[in-house]
Amino acid sequence: MQEMQDMIDRLNQSGKRLSKGQRRIVEYIAAHYDKAVFMTASRLGECVGVSESTVVRFASAMGYEGYPQLQRAMQELVSHRLTPNQRVEMSEEIVPENAMSHVLKRDMQNLRTTLESMDNTVFEQVVERILSARSVYVMGLRSAAPLAEFMYYYLNYIFPSVRLVSSGTTDVFDEISKLEGGDVLVGISFPRYSTRTLEAMRYAKRCGAQVISITDGPMSPLTEIADLSLMAHTDMASFVDSLAAPMSVINALLVALGLRRKDALREHFSKLEALWDTYEIYAGESKHHG
């Protein structure tokens, strides 16, 4: 019951009391969140026993411009509760022969939504915080691990002190034990959010470090801890997390940082090219010595 009330409080931007019919809609969403938040207004009204126009008015009463905006907020709110089995059930409408076009279109929509909602001022602030950091720690666990590894790999070309925090042979707290003020921790996590990542971010804050999150939306628990947050939409098509938009945001961040450190980056790559050439790192570029 308390969880349902929390949902009402977080969704109800208007702060107004809800009518009996409106509460029936919220109660249905709370009881069947895995399916309800992906329904059209017409379908939701049919399941609750109210008209489509009632659902649309419900969205307005909650303080949203329309039902699509409310639906997006609901999806963000409950996405971390979806189990892999529930995600599989969500994809039952996808015909296997159409899987590629369905997923690519969903990824394109995620990219479009991310671009439209990106706060450029926050993005520039994130760039400045990382540029001024003594050391940069990048953390991403489970499905976010590839994102963290990608970011870590390229940050190493730009900065002298970068550390990857992962669930390897040591505990994550062993890896951030030297973190202190002047450092930056970038925490990356998407539904279902990693509690270990949240704990590490809280620890970093206590150490006086700057904390940046890369997550899916303002209702993510990472945003409550982070000093700055970059949002990347990850509306999933099935049990597989959609990482297209998060990867693109990280790519943009790396490019922006590289442009600000262009001279140092050019010098570093010149040294690396000499090493790569000497030790024939890349195929097709070997030297024939007589």
Side-chain angles (χ1 to χ4, degrees):
M1 186 57 133
Q2 182 58 45
E3 188 174 14
M4 188 186 75
Q5 187 59 52
D6 290 343
M7 176 180 286
I8 295 172
D9 293 340
R10 294 187 69 179
L11 287 174
N12 191 359
Q13 296 184 344
S14 68
K16 298 177 182 176
R17 290 178 60 87
L18 300 178
S19 68
K20 185 180 295 185
Q22 291 166 347
R23 288 187 68 88
R24 280 173 57 194
I25 296 174
V26 176
E27 288 168 6
Y28 181 86
I29 294 169
H32 308 282
Y33 62 88
D34 55 325
K35 295 182 178 64
V37 298
F38 298 98
M39 291 178 176
T40 62
S42 175
R43 177 60 180 155
L44 179 58
E46 182 182 328
C47 291
V48 177
V50 298
S51 66
E52 179 180 356
S53 59
T54 299
V55 176
V56 174
R57 287 196 298 271
F58 163 71
S60 298
M62 296 286 273
Y64 295 88
E65 292 180 9
Y67 181 74
Q69 289 74 26
L70 171 61
Q71 185 181 42
R72 190 171 299 123
M74 291 190 298
Q75 289 172 357
E76 289 178 9
L77 186 60
V78 306
S79 57
H80 70 283
R81 298 167 60 184
L82 296 176
T83 66
N85 276 336
Q86 288 171 329
R87 291 187 182 191
V88 169
E89 288 178 10
M90 281 167 43
S91 65
E92 287 181 351
E93 78 232 24
I94 304 175
V95 178
E97 292 78 11
N98 297 334
M100 184 182 73
S101 62
H102 182 92
V103 171
L104 291 182
K105 287 177 182 177
R106 185 69 65 88
D107 280 349
M108 289 167 64
Q109 181 59 49
N110 285 336
L111 286 164
R112 190 177 299 111
T113 303
T114 298
L115 178 60
E116 291 171 353
S117 60
M118 178 60 66
D119 188 328
N120 289 324
T121 301
V122 173
F123 183 88
E124 289 302 321
Q125 289 174 343
V126 169
V127 170
E128 293 296 336
R129 300 283 175 94
I130 294 176
L131 285 170
S132 61
R134 183 183 69 94
S135 295
V136 181
Y137 291 75
V138 184
M139 181 174 187
L141 305 179
R142 303 182 70 82
S143 64
L147 295 170
E149 290 170 7
F150 177 84
M151 186 173 184
Y152 166 76
Y153 176 82
Y154 283 102
L155 282 178
N156 264 305
Y157 290 134
I158 308 172
F159 300 103
S161 181
V162 184
R163 303 186 184 187
L164 177 65
V165 184
S166 61
S167 53
T169 55
T170 59
D171 186 83
V172 294
F173 285 100
D174 294 338
E175 299 181 39
I176 62 174
S177 60
K178 295 181 180 179
L179 194 150
E180 57 186 47
D183 294 336
V184 166
L185 171 68
V186 180
I188 308 172
S189 191
F190 295 88
R192 305 158 76 188
Y193 309 104
S194 164
T195 55
R196 212 64 171 155
T197 299
L198 292 167
E199 290 168 354
M201 290 171 63
R202 292 189 186 99
Y203 173 80
K205 291 276 283 191
R206 290 196 296 270
C207 292
Q210 292 291 308
V211 178
I212 296 166
S213 76
I214 300 178
T215 189
D216 62 315
M219 291 187 178
S220 164
L222 278 73
T223 62
E224 299 175 5
I225 305 169
D227 298 294
L228 295 168
S229 294
L230 294 178
M231 313 296 185
H233 206 63
T234 59
D235 185 14
M236 72 287 289
S238 182
F239 68 97
V240 181
D241 290 326
S242 174
L243 300 182
M247 181 67 81
S248 190
V249 168
I250 291 172
N251 195 3
L253 183 58
L254 291 167
V255 170
L257 291 166
L259 289 171
R260 294 288 296 274
R261 289 288 181 90
K262 191 182 297 183
D263 292 338
L265 194 58
R266 187 180 292 115
E267 181 180 349
H268 183 58
F269 274 128
S270 295
K271 293 178 181 177
L272 283 176
E273 284 291 349
L275 284 170
W276 293 338
D277 183 59
T278 300
Y279 294 100
E280 300 176 2
I281 299 300
Y282 291 106
E285 300 180 7
S286 60
K287 302 292 185 182
H288 295 285
H289 302 287

